[in-house]
Amino acid sequence: TRQQGITPEEIANSVLIERDPEANVDENIQHYETLAENLKKELRQIVQTFDEDNRPRYRFDPVFTGVDPRDEFQKARDEAEANEVMLFEAWEHLLALDEWPIRTRQMTIDLSHGFESIFKDIAIWDASGGVRYENKIIDISWQGRQVSGLVTMRDLGRVANDNLPLPPVDSAQRDLDFAVFISTKPVESSAIDKLLARRKDPRILFWTPDSLTSEERDRLIDFAAYRKLVSEWQGKETEDAVAVINWVSNSLQTDLGKIARIVHNSYARGRVDALNNSQMDFHVAGELPSILAPLVDRVLSSTYESRDIKFEPPFLFRKEEGVKVINGIVKTGSIPKGTKPNQNISAAQNFGFGLKIMKKSAERQLDVSDNPYVRDIWSFIDSKLADVGQTMKVETLYKNFMGIGGPKDYGLTRRMVQIFLLCLVREGKIRIGVGPKSGLSFSMIDYSNIGNIDFSARILDSLTEVQKMAQPENWEVLRPYAGKLLNEPIPTTHDDAIISSYRTKLRELFAREKTNSERTVQRAKELFAALECENPYETVLTQMAKLFTADLTGGDDINLLLFALKDAFGFKAFDTNTPSQAEIDDLANRLKNYRDVQRFLEFENELRAANVYCRHLLPELTDLKKVRSAQRKLAEKLRTLQTYIDSDVKLKTELVGRIPPEKGETGTLGVLVQEYTTVYVALHDDVLGYAEECRKSIEDILKGDEFKAFRMLEKITALQPPVSETIEKQLRELASGIFSCPSASRASVEQQLRSKPVHECGLKFLNATELKTEAEDAARKAKTIFNDAFNRKIEVFMSPAVRERLEQGKSESRIKEMLACLPAESSAQAGRGVEELRAFLIKSVLEDVSIIEIINRFLKRIVVKRVKLAEFKPSISTVEKAKISMLAREFEQYL
């Protein structure tokens, strides 16, 4: 009677029968919702609606007209049960189950309700009701590298019986490493055995489903019936069509999950077989690639030799990573120290060890000595290309080293083969041709230009042919000269791999020495200019610098180097194509002289120090007798430097020496510095000590009682303005002008004397006396300035006017004592009186500061009087004003 319907909870509360004694409230409500759903399916009069909270409500509608979907469904089911075609079409639909859109007059309904098949990407169902099976390429991670394979569905029973072809696993052409053929129907094991024997490829997997159980077959029949109803009623505008389609949609919403599950269960019970791996264990869960990944891993691990090439997670070796590895280390042969990391260098470090082209012991160098694949590829090329100039197509190498079927079932990827080939190029064993689509300006990649190429997928896909490197032209002409340049014997050989290593060393030598030789010339020029002597090997240095400026990176490095020898030294080998023993010996001598000068320049600091010491003027002092003797001996050696350039031993033992010198060492820089330091340190201590005493005497004045009393006495009105700050500034300036040393420690002095004869403080034997005299004068001047300033101040108390005023204060004991210190009028006693008064004032102020207040009180009357005289000025005559002004000026002088 409720038109809006009643909820499952209201139904439960009305019936009041529990599901079971243990059931809780929620379980009872769910029980009655299930009962209501089943009633809705069986009785047309049960109608379901949803409230605003999306909760189901059920009501009884006694009036119902039109067709009954349940009857129509039963008819369709009866028909499907006897029709194998309908059942197979329903099965195929379940294999391809994905979205199932059905259009009604009101809306478009998706009858799949979100359910989908694990095979939906390879079995495609269309609206016309047909299913087509597509070949799908999927990627799977194996050993940390991405491998691709073909996955498709076929009726494998029919394929086996009719000998129908299956797509091959063509690794060299399509970069595939496996194939998975999934049967659309159960297949006898004999048919699978026949397919395995016919294909003979262990990388092909056959997946067949198990037969359906009776329950699963019933669900398939149901699905065929639903499909029948949809086929008959979809697209019609009648009320009956809408009612049937809505009923199918509602029914599938609860039934389709169970129906779709029959595909999953059937294939989960089925079997997966490969040539050497039959009836493999597997687990059906997740997407198709995740189901197949463990199976592919097992098959490839038992088939491919390259299973030992592993990459640790989270790194995954893909095609793009291969290009980065080539740019990161293969083309250069190393990762230079200090290079800022980028994507190429990171890829080389992430994948180089797994590819076996780098070693942990030298993790920044290309090293394929332990790589069996590089070794086998080279052996294959070497054995097939017997004649000079003969070529091999790169496709041949792909066919023999990718997938299976070569000398071994290597299973390398295309990028791996390309990486290993370019490693052989880097070693100088082969060169590789490139097609016009590469975008390169040359047609062959070899060791001379590989380092200048910015590799890309386009370049790698343009590789055409491989050719063994032959002995380069004119190498035998250059070889003996190259041996001298590299300072190692180079044997005669036709192995271009060995020759290329020496050519690489020569290019590296010239790249390194270009800057070194220019710097050597400049340093030698500056050093010999400072020593004021001629460089015996100046011409050799200039020629060697010119030689090393030759650019050998253009590709024809052999002829470029022969021409550079001609241009620098005038050698004829470039023109005659014949080495000359005389030129070879001459080159060896020039190289020795060049290296000798470079070693000589390593002692540049010591040589400059020796020159400075030898030119340093010394006074004729007895203490410096040994120093002057060592100075003369060292100066004599500096005039014949070629001996020490040619002999590194003599340079170290006879010229530079050691500090302190070894026993028996004479005439070396070490001896001179040692003798000089002994005398200099004593002088430094003496001068610095005397200067410190003088400076201390000034500091004593500033910190003494007299200066303290002087500051306090400046508070007396008669002694103003104050001058103590000016006096202090003068005294401190005198103190700061006295000689001092910023690093006075003995260690500092000895350390600095290793490179020059004067410490940073500037003390010399020639100015030591002068520095002591200046310090003494400064101390004397400071004392005079202070005494004069103090005495000038207290002379004010000698003034008769001031003295007269003080006489008025005889009753004060302090004033009386002060007057007793003042001399009589005679000038003979004035000087002694000032000293006595000064001593009295200092003593009195330090003992009792109140004397300042007493003196100011008696002198204040004089100031008051002066003010009163000024007040009378406006009311008196001009003559009187003049007299008063004169008296005022005289009085001002006393003050």
Side-chain angles (χ1 to χ4, degrees):
T1 59
R2 297 184 190 176
Q3 291 304 307
Q4 74 274 21
I6 57 178
T7 65
E9 184 177 3
E10 290 171 329
I11 296 174
N13 292 336
S14 299
V15 180
L16 292 177
I17 298 176
E18 294 181 330
R19 172 185 169 188
D20 58 64
E22 303 295 329
N24 58 32
V25 175
D26 291 336
E27 290 174 339
N28 285 323
I29 294 174
Q30 182 63 42
H31 172 63
Y32 279 96
E33 183 175 352
T34 302
L35 292 177
E37 284 291 326
N38 289 330
L39 282 172
K40 183 188 72 170
K41 292 179 182 179
E42 299 298 329
L43 299 176
R44 297 175 62 191
Q45 290 79 9
I46 303 299
V47 179
Q48 180 190 42
T49 58
F50 293 90
D51 61 15
E52 61 274 8
D53 296 326
N54 202 33
R55 292 178 300 181
R57 288 181 174 271
Y58 303 90
R59 75 173 188 272
F60 184 78
D61 187 357
V63 179
F64 199 99
T65 60
V67 299
D68 185 350
R70 296 166 183 77
D71 294 339
E72 296 298 320
F73 174 77
Q74 189 59 47
K75 294 176 184 177
R77 193 179 190 286
D78 292 340
E79 181 182 352
E81 188 173 8
N83 191 330
E84 290 298 326
V85 174
M86 285 182 63
L87 292 179
F88 183 69
E89 289 176 350
W91 172 255
E92 283 192 311
H93 192 169
L94 288 177
L95 293 179
L97 184 62
D98 198 357
E99 292 184 356
W100 187 5
I102 298 298
R103 191 170 189 80
T104 69
R105 69 183 182 184
Q106 296 172 326
M107 67 185 74
T108 298
I109 303 173
D110 181 9
L111 297 183
S112 70
H113 297 291
F115 295 103
E116 59 185 26
S117 168
I118 58 175
F119 305 120
K120 62 182 177 61
D121 292 329
I122 53 177
I124 311 300
W125 182 83
D126 54 42
S128 63
V131 175
R132 68 180 187 276
Y133 299 103
E134 294 188 348
N135 297 336
K136 179 77 173 179
I137 304 299
I138 66 170
D139 296 324
I140 288 176
S141 174
W142 174 61
Q143 305 287 53
R145 78 195 209 203
Q146 188 182 78
V147 294
S148 301
L150 172 69
V151 180
T152 188
M153 301 193 82
R154 294 285 192 276
D155 182 352
L156 295 182
R158 180 167 173 265
V159 170
N161 294 331
D162 298 346
N163 290 324
L164 299 177
L166 290 173
V169 182
D170 195 339
S171 299
Q173 291 295 326
R174 302 184 60 193
D175 294 298
L176 300 180
D177 286 292
F178 64 91
V180 180
F181 297 106
I182 304 171
S183 182
T184 57
K185 298 179 179 179
V187 181
E188 295 292 335
S189 59
S190 59
I192 298 301
D193 294 339
K194 181 179 178 180
L195 291 175
L196 292 172
R198 191 171 74 191
R199 295 308 300 268
K200 295 181 180 180
D201 189 336
R203 302 169 300 165
I204 295 178
L205 297 90
F206 295 103
W207 185 4
T208 58
D210 189 22
S211 299
L212 299 181
T213 64
S214 58
E215 182 182 355
E216 291 171 343
R217 179 176 173 81
D218 286 342
R219 289 176 180 171
L220 181 61
I221 295 171
D222 288 345
F223 187 65
Y226 285 128
R227 280 171 44 84
K228 173 78 172 173
L229 292 183
V230 171
S231 174
E232 291 179 350
W233 296 95
Q234 69 174 337
K236 297 180 180 180
E237 301 293 332
T238 63
E239 292 292 337
D240 289 342
V242 172
V244 171
I245 294 300
N246 286 337
W247 181 85
V248 170
S249 177
N250 290 333
S251 298
L252 286 176
Q253 187 172 7
T254 56
D255 291 350
L256 188 56
K258 298 176 182 178
I259 294 173
R261 191 70 182 172
I262 68 176
V263 171
H264 180 282
N265 294 339
S266 174
Y267 279 91
R269 296 193 308 270
R271 54 186 287 178
V272 178
D273 297 276
L275 186 61
N276 300 321
N277 292 277
S278 60
Q279 291 188 292
M280 290 183 284
D281 294 332
F282 65 101
H283 181 61
V284 179
E287 298 292 331
L288 188 58
S290 62
I291 297 172
L292 298 178
L295 299 169
V296 172
D297 182 284
R298 177 175 171 178
V299 166
L300 295 185
S301 296
S302 63
T303 303
Y304 281 164
E305 294 290 327
S306 60
R307 55 183 167 269
D308 62 336
I309 297 180
K310 299 178 181 179
F311 305 102
E312 298 299 326
F315 306 115
L316 180 65
F317 185 77
R318 300 184 295 266
K319 290 181 179 180
E320 309 86 72
E321 307 303 329
V323 180
K324 296 174 186 175
V325 170
I326 293 171
N327 284 320
I329 192 169
V330 175
K331 76 172 190 176
T332 57
S334 64
I335 302 173
K337 289 185 178 180
T339 303
K340 187 177 181 180
N342 55 34
Q343 61 175 357
N344 296 330
I345 292 175
S346 297
Q349 293 172 331
N350 294 338
F351 301 106
F353 303 110
L355 289 167
K356 303 182 187 297
I357 61 173
M358 294 168 61
K359 291 183 178 179
K360 293 290 185 180
S361 56
E363 55 187 43
R364 302 182 73 88
Q365 299 293 323
L366 183 70
D367 188 340
V368 297
S369 57
D370 293 337
N371 189 311
Y373 307 103
V374 174
R375 185 168 56 249
D376 289 357
I377 290 174
W378 166 243
S379 297
F380 184 83
I381 295 172
D382 189 37
S383 63
K384 301 297 182 183
L385 301 181
D387 299 331
V388 176
Q390 189 177 357
T391 62
M392 173 189 294
K393 290 186 177 298
V394 174
E395 291 297 330
T396 302
L397 292 164
Y398 293 154
K399 289 179 180 179
N400 283 276
F401 289 90
M402 294 177 65
I404 62 175
K408 299 178 182 178
D409 295 334
Y410 288 103
L412 299 174
T413 67
R414 186 179 303 271
R415 284 289 183 263
M416 289 179 182
V417 174
Q418 292 165 348
I419 289 172
F420 298 151
L421 283 174
L422 291 172
C423 287
L424 291 172
V425 171
R426 184 70 203 172
E427 290 188 336
K429 292 186 175 183
I430 63 172
R431 64 175 66 182
I432 304 178
V434 288
K437 293 183 179 180
S438 66
L440 299 176
S441 59
F442 39 83
S443 60
M444 298 295 290
I445 299 175
D446 59 25
Y447 66 88
S448 66
N449 58 27
I450 186 174
N452 301 321
I453 300 174
D454 187 10
F455 283 91
S456 63
R458 182 178 65 174
I459 294 175
L460 296 176
D461 292 340
S462 300
L463 302 182
T464 58
E465 59 187 15
V466 174
Q467 185 181 34
K468 287 169 61 176
M469 292 288 286
Q471 186 187 56
E473 185 181 3
N474 290 331
W475 170 251
E476 280 302 311
V477 180
L478 178 63
R479 183 177 58 81
Y481 299 93
K484 298 301 180 184
L485 287 167
L486 296 175
N487 194 27
E488 61 178 295
I490 301 178
T492 301
T493 180
H494 290 277
D495 188 343
D496 195 65
I498 298 175
I499 295 173
S500 67
S501 67
Y502 289 114
R503 294 172 71 178
T504 300
K505 289 181 180 180
L506 285 170
R507 290 195 298 273
E508 292 172 350
L509 171 69
F510 272 64
R512 183 172 62 250
E513 288 296 335
K514 182 180 186 299
T515 302
N516 289 346
S517 61
E518 293 172 352
R519 189 164 178 264
T520 298
V521 171
Q522 185 61 32
R523 287 179 61 195
K525 182 179 179 180
E526 293 173 357
L527 176 60
F528 282 97
L531 299 178
E532 297 183 6
C533 63
E534 184 179 354
N535 178 4
Y537 298 116
E538 183 175 0
T539 302
V540 173
L541 293 184
T542 305
Q543 290 174 330
M544 294 304 300
K546 185 176 183 180
L547 173 67
F548 287 125
T549 56
D551 184 5
L552 305 184
T553 60
D556 192 8
D557 53 335
I558 295 176
N559 288 325
L560 287 172
L561 182 47
L562 286 171
F563 180 79
L565 291 170
K566 172 187 174 180
D567 190 39
F569 308 125
F571 292 172
K572 304 298 183 183
F574 177 77
D575 299 322
T576 63
N577 287 333
T578 304
S580 167
Q581 188 59 47
E583 290 179 350
I584 295 168
D585 295 339
D586 183 42
L587 177 61
N589 291 331
R590 293 173 191 269
L591 281 167
K592 180 183 183 305
N593 295 336
Y594 173 68
R595 298 301 182 193
D596 287 343
V597 173
Q598 285 184 321
R599 284 192 295 270
F600 183 75
L601 290 174
E602 292 176 3
F603 294 89
E604 180 179 357
N605 293 335
E606 290 83 352
L607 292 166
R608 288 181 180 274
N611 183 58
V612 173
Y613 264 101
C614 289
R615 298 179 185 278
H616 188 62
L617 296 177
L618 297 172
E620 294 292 332
L621 299 176
T622 304
D623 292 342
L624 294 174
K625 183 177 180 180
K626 290 184 178 181
V627 176
R628 286 195 299 273
S629 174
Q631 188 183 49
R632 284 192 298 270
K633 292 179 181 180
L634 184 60
E636 182 65 27
K637 292 180 179 180
L638 287 178
R639 286 193 284 270
T640 57
L641 285 175
Q642 183 169 354
T643 301
Y644 304 106
I645 296 175
D646 295 342
S647 174
D648 184 49
V649 175
K650 287 185 177 181
L651 173 64
K652 293 178 180 178
T653 59
E654 297 181 13
L655 183 63
V656 176
R658 294 180 177 274
I659 301 176
E662 294 181 346
K663 185 177 181 181
E665 186 178 316
T666 60
T668 65
L669 173 64
V671 171
L672 176 55
V673 171
Q674 182 74 7
E675 295 292 345
Y676 183 88
T677 301
T678 302
V679 184
Y680 187 92
V681 168
L683 176 71
H684 187 272
D685 292 343
D686 177 58
V687 175
L688 188 61
Y690 190 83
E692 287 298 326
E693 290 179 4
C694 295
R695 186 181 293 105
K696 185 176 183 302
S697 67
I698 298 176
E699 290 293 332
D700 289 344
I701 294 175
L702 293 171
K703 296 178 181 178
D705 290 342
E706 290 191 352
F707 199 86
K708 180 179 179 182
F710 182 60
R711 286 185 181 277
M712 297 171 67
L713 288 171
E714 284 185 324
K715 297 178 182 179
I716 298 175
T717 307
L719 301 184
Q720 292 179 358
V723 296
S724 59
E725 290 186 2
T726 302
I727 300 301
E728 181 179 3
K729 182 178 179 182
Q730 291 177 329
L731 266 58
R732 293 201 180 279
E733 288 177 353
L734 288 170
S736 64
I738 295 175
F739 169 76
S740 63
C741 182
S743 301
S745 68
R746 184 184 182 93
S748 171
V749 175
E750 291 179 347
Q751 180 62 34
Q752 293 188 30
L753 290 182
R754 288 173 176 263
S755 58
K756 57 184 178 180
V758 180
H759 188 245
E760 64 180 290
C761 62
L763 175 64
K764 303 177 183 178
F765 286 99
L766 296 175
N767 67 1
T769 302
E770 181 183 351
L771 292 175
K772 292 175 71 173
T773 302
E774 289 175 355
E776 185 178 2
D777 291 344
R780 187 184 304 111
K781 185 176 180 180
K783 186 174 182 180
T784 301
I785 290 173
F786 175 67
N787 288 337
D788 290 349
F790 204 132
N791 292 341
R792 279 198 305 272
K793 281 290 185 181
I794 64 176
E795 282 179 356
V796 172
F797 294 108
M798 302 295 181
S799 166
V802 174
R803 184 170 183 169
E804 180 182 348
R805 285 299 171 186
L806 291 174
E807 289 285 351
Q808 299 175 11
K810 285 184 178 181
S811 58
E812 292 282 348
S813 59
R814 289 291 191 181
I815 299 297
K816 184 176 181 180
E817 293 175 6
M818 182 176 173
L819 289 171
C821 295
L822 298 177
E825 294 295 331
S826 62
S827 59
Q829 298 177 342
R832 186 173 68 252
V834 170
E835 292 298 327
E836 291 179 1
L837 178 60
R838 174 176 169 175
F840 168 76
L841 288 174
I842 291 171
K843 181 174 181 298
S844 300
V845 168
L846 294 176
E847 289 180 354
D848 186 4
V849 73
S850 64
I851 188 174
I852 296 174
E853 182 182 351
I854 295 170
I855 296 172
N856 276 333
R857 189 169 67 247
F858 283 98
L859 293 182
K860 185 177 180 182
R861 298 173 185 173
I862 302 174
V863 178
V864 171
K865 182 176 181 181
R866 183 178 67 171
V867 173
K868 289 182 177 179
L869 285 172
E871 292 175 351
F872 280 114
K873 285 181 182 181
S875 60
I876 58 179
S877 66
T878 303
V879 176
E880 290 173 329
K881 286 181 179 179
K883 290 180 180 179
I884 293 172
S885 296
M886 182 182 68
L887 290 171
R889 282 196 299 275
E890 291 177 355
F891 188 66
E892 292 255 4
Q893 293 176 0
Y894 293 123
L895 298 180

